[in-house]
Amino acid sequence: MRKSDMQKGKGKVKETVGKVTGNKEMEAEGKAEEMAGKTREAAEDMRRIAEKAPDAMKRRTS
């Protein structure tokens, strides 16, 4: 499991608990953590794409 997925899940749980208990601060923390997880996921995806780029360029120029 990727770190981003764990972070998004943890944020969603915090957000839900905050909503149920009426704790606006916890709800906001959960939303922020979930967004941080989405940002991390995008960075992981970009890193994966960048790692594949040299191979793709070699195939195109051959």
Side-chain angles (χ1 to χ4, degrees):
M1 180 174 263
R2 298 188 317 187
K3 287 183 179 181
S4 61
D5 292 335
M6 291 175 57
Q7 193 171 19
K8 287 190 307 185
K10 186 177 170 185
K12 191 66 175 170
V13 168
K14 267 188 178 178
E15 181 183 354
T16 302
V17 170
K19 281 182 183 178
V20 170
T21 61
N23 186 336
K24 295 292 182 184
E25 186 176 327
M26 183 179 279
E27 185 179 345
E29 283 178 21
K31 285 181 182 181
E33 198 162 335
E34 192 173 357
M35 289 305 297
K38 288 179 182 181
T39 302
R40 179 183 284 234
E41 180 178 34
E44 290 170 353
D45 291 344
M46 292 303 293
R47 184 176 29 237
R48 223 175 284 112
I49 290 168
E51 287 172 355
K52 292 179 184 178
D55 293 334
M57 291 302 291
K58 285 179 185 175
R59 281 185 258 137
R60 286 186 179 177
T61 59
S62 296

